Amino acid sequence: MAYISFDSSNLTKFVHDNELGEMQAMVTAADSELRNGTGAGADFRDWIDLPTNYDKDEFSRIKAAAKKIQSDSEVLVVIGIGGSYLGARAAIDFLNEAFYTALPASERKGALVLFAGNSISSSYVHDLIHVIGDRDFSVNVISKSGTTTEPSIAFRIFKDKLVEKYGEAEAKKRIYATTDRARGALKTESDAEGYEEFVVPDGIGGRFSVLSAVGLLPIAASGADIDKLMQGAADASKDYTSDKIEDNDAYRYAALRNILYRKGKTTELLENYEPTMASFAEWWKQLMGESEGKDQKGIYPSSANFSTDLHSLGQYIQEGRRNLMETVVKVDKPNYDIDIPKEDSDLDQIGYLEGKTMDYVNTQAFRAVTLAHTDGDVPVMAVHIPDQTEYSLGYLIYFFEAAVGISGYLNGINPFNQPGVEAYKVNMFALLGKPGFEKETAEIQKRVQK
């Protein structure tokens, strides 16, 4: 029995009874490709066994490094882009109070984790330096190559700030490098300067790397229990092994979203009713978009935060183009609940809610929206998680990873590469005059002049 539950009961008007059965042979074939390594991208499947087959020595070093960071730094600046930061940010937001960044250090569970190198905005970096102020800080730079433009710029800046504040020798003790095991610019620099090093696994793509050192060090530094996080993922990896749709909710979800995709539901909204899950949706969008958007195919991943976005996107979802499907991640028990106060007057006309709790209202809103959108011809699926704990998060992460692996193969693409990600970089390097791109520079200049 899976720890989280997947509810597809509202799809009866969109998916006929026989359609899932017709998908079984394809799901079994996709499962064989995934488990046996016969499908495209087989070299990047190590995430499958990662929750149980990980480097225990490195895991211990991660926890030790996290304690050191907590002891000598109020702030940890995590430098990375894409999969090098999205998973960590999703987890930290998921596991903390909504305004934890504004809490005094004494009320936080661990270091204040802030992120850089995920854009090229000079204003953002200025503001980050400003908010750090005089506080002690360390840096975790995450890059397999060490030459990705955005994190490389940020690392130079924050490395300079460390040296300015602590001197070269002490600065080196405050830099933690998560990079390739054997090669690359960051690996070379780390070896030469003596930074503490952690490994970006060879057989795991960035978007699947949150349960490796890439995500675990920042998550642990924030004060989260990474043992429970890994246990949740480990249990999910055992629960989602069957190739039978009726026994595997992750595969059922993959099959249903592919049935809907082939009926014209080309955009999927991941939705939540807890603001602390907004960053989780950003992680999910990379996981799904980078895995499936190839060969002019794939479901476009988007997101919405309810009930907030019901007052902005709600009209479109209810009555706009009928190319949408929705997947809600619903927390069944919130971290806190609040009673709605009683008042003598009823000017705001919510007297009928007196004696009820905010979560009761939130849950009824979820049910009402599901019914309304289903009536409006938008298919709605729901993934229910018991709570916002490390265990639940680890389990949920693995659910979506298993689902997208199968979903990609069902759609006839390699779910583990990302060739299109490099296209913009060639143009950017040409416009910036990077050595080795002289031919591209000439071509781009011609196009720009036109």
Side-chain angles (χ1 to χ4, degrees):
M1 178 68 70
Y3 175 74
I4 65 178
S5 63
F6 174 64
D7 181 7
S8 59
S9 60
N10 291 293
L11 298 186
T12 53
K13 67 182 287 189
F14 307 100
V15 179
H16 299 140
D17 291 341
N18 67 301
E19 289 184 276
L20 265 181
E22 296 295 332
M23 290 289 290
Q24 182 60 68
M26 288 183 281
V27 168
T28 297
D31 175 75
S32 178
E33 287 185 289
L34 182 66
R35 304 289 176 179
N36 298 322
T38 57
D43 291 342
F44 288 89
R45 298 175 305 113
D46 288 357
W47 59 269
I48 297 174
D49 300 322
L50 179 63
T52 54
N53 185 26
Y54 58 90
D55 186 331
K56 306 304 189 294
D57 290 335
E58 182 181 59
F59 193 79
S60 296
R61 287 199 303 113
I62 288 170
K63 292 196 284 187
K67 288 182 179 178
K68 179 181 180 297
I69 292 166
Q70 291 167 351
S71 69
D72 67 15
S73 301
E74 186 177 342
V75 178
L76 175 65
V77 179
V78 176
I79 297 174
I81 195 166
S84 294
Y85 94 100
L86 282 169
R89 185 166 197 166
I92 292 168
D93 286 357
F94 183 99
L95 297 170
N96 281 281
E97 294 184 18
F99 302 103
Y100 90 100
T101 58
L103 292 174
S106 61
E107 295 186 30
R108 288 195 297 269
K109 294 183 292 183
L112 173 60
V113 180
L114 302 175
F115 296 88
N118 49 30
S119 74
I120 321 176
S121 168
S122 54
S123 295
Y124 179 95
V125 172
H126 169 274
D127 295 349
L128 178 52
I129 293 170
H130 184 203
V131 80
I132 293 171
D134 293 330
R135 292 186 285 186
D136 287 316
F137 74 101
S138 294
V139 166
N140 176 205
V141 56
I142 306 169
S143 176
K144 192 168 180 64
S145 67
T147 59
T148 305
T149 305
E150 294 91 339
S152 293
I153 292 172
F155 185 40
R156 282 200 181 194
I157 292 168
F158 284 96
K159 183 168 48 177
D160 186 64
K161 292 296 178 184
L162 282 172
V163 171
E164 179 183 315
K165 184 175 179 67
Y166 300 105
E168 289 191 9
E170 178 64 20
K172 293 174 184 179
K173 297 176 184 178
R174 292 174 172 271
I175 296 174
Y176 302 83
T178 307
T179 189
D180 191 86
R181 186 184 302 275
R183 64 181 70 86
L186 182 55
K187 170 63 176 173
T188 300
E189 179 177 341
S190 300
D191 287 348
E193 301 296 338
Y195 308 152
E196 182 161 5
E197 298 178 36
F198 300 96
V199 175
V200 178
D202 287 334
I204 299 175
R207 58 190 176 276
F208 290 87
S209 67
V210 60
L211 298 176
S212 73
V214 171
L216 291 178
L217 178 56
I219 294 169
S222 76
D225 189 332
I226 59 174
D227 288 292
K228 292 179 181 177
L229 181 74
M230 295 301 283
Q231 188 60 57
D235 289 349
S237 72
K238 297 171 186 174
D239 290 341
Y240 297 132
T241 55
S242 174
D243 70 317
K244 300 296 187 290
I245 293 174
E246 66 269 22
D247 298 328
N248 190 327
D249 280 347
Y251 286 15
R252 181 180 179 86
Y253 167 60
L256 286 167
R257 64 197 297 274
N258 272 271
I259 290 171
L260 294 168
Y261 171 60
R262 293 166 193 180
K263 293 184 176 184
K265 306 300 183 181
T266 56
T267 295
E268 181 177 12
L269 292 168
L270 189 78
E271 298 162 351
N272 64 75
Y273 284 76
E274 294 292 340
T276 49
M277 293 189 64
S279 291
F280 183 85
E282 297 304 307
W283 170 80
W284 176 88
K285 284 191 283 190
Q286 186 201 11
L287 179 71
M288 295 300 187
E290 208 166 84
S291 295
E292 295 190 302
K294 292 153 200 172
D295 301 331
Q296 300 184 23
K297 294 187 288 187
I299 300 166
Y300 181 78
S302 189
S303 63
N305 306 302
F306 290 165
S307 64
T308 303
D309 287 341
L310 291 172
H311 297 263
S312 57
L313 299 175
Q315 172 62 40
Y316 187 96
I317 296 170
Q318 190 70 46
E319 296 184 350
R321 292 187 64 190
R322 300 298 78 189
N323 64 336
L324 303 176
M325 67 176 96
E326 298 173 78
T327 299
V328 182
V329 179
K330 181 67 173 66
V331 180
D332 288 336
K333 183 181 180 181
N335 293 330
Y336 308 98
D337 203 357
I338 296 177
D339 294 330
I340 297 171
K342 295 182 179 180
E343 291 187 359
D344 292 336
S345 66
D346 191 27
L347 291 175
D348 54 15
Q349 299 180 29
I350 60 168
Y352 67 99
L353 296 176
E354 292 177 355
K356 306 245 180 350
T357 70
M358 287 189 69
D359 185 60
Y360 170 81
V361 178
N362 206 23
T363 298
Q364 301 316 310
F366 155 68
R367 292 172 176 167
V369 171
T370 298
L371 291 173
H373 288 182
T374 301
D375 290 345
D377 288 330
V378 181
V380 182
M381 299 171 278
V383 179
H384 288 263
I385 60 175
D387 48 36
Q388 284 185 247
T389 59
E390 291 93 339
Y391 184 90
S392 292
L393 178 60
Y395 206 104
L396 184 65
I397 286 169
Y398 198 90
F399 171 88
F400 282 117
E401 289 180 344
V404 80
I406 290 298
S407 187
Y409 285 138
L410 287 176
N411 207 16
I413 54 93
N414 177 355
F416 305 120
N417 68 350
Q418 53 279 338
V421 173
E422 301 301 315
Y424 87 92
K425 295 181 182 179
V426 174
N427 292 343
M428 183 174 70
F429 293 154
L431 288 169
L432 291 171
K434 184 174 181 177
F437 287 82
E438 290 78 10
K439 180 180 178 181
E440 290 84 356
T441 298
E443 292 297 323
I444 289 291
Q445 287 177 341
K446 291 178 182 177
R447 294 173 63 183
V448 171
Q449 288 172 357
K450 289 181 180 179

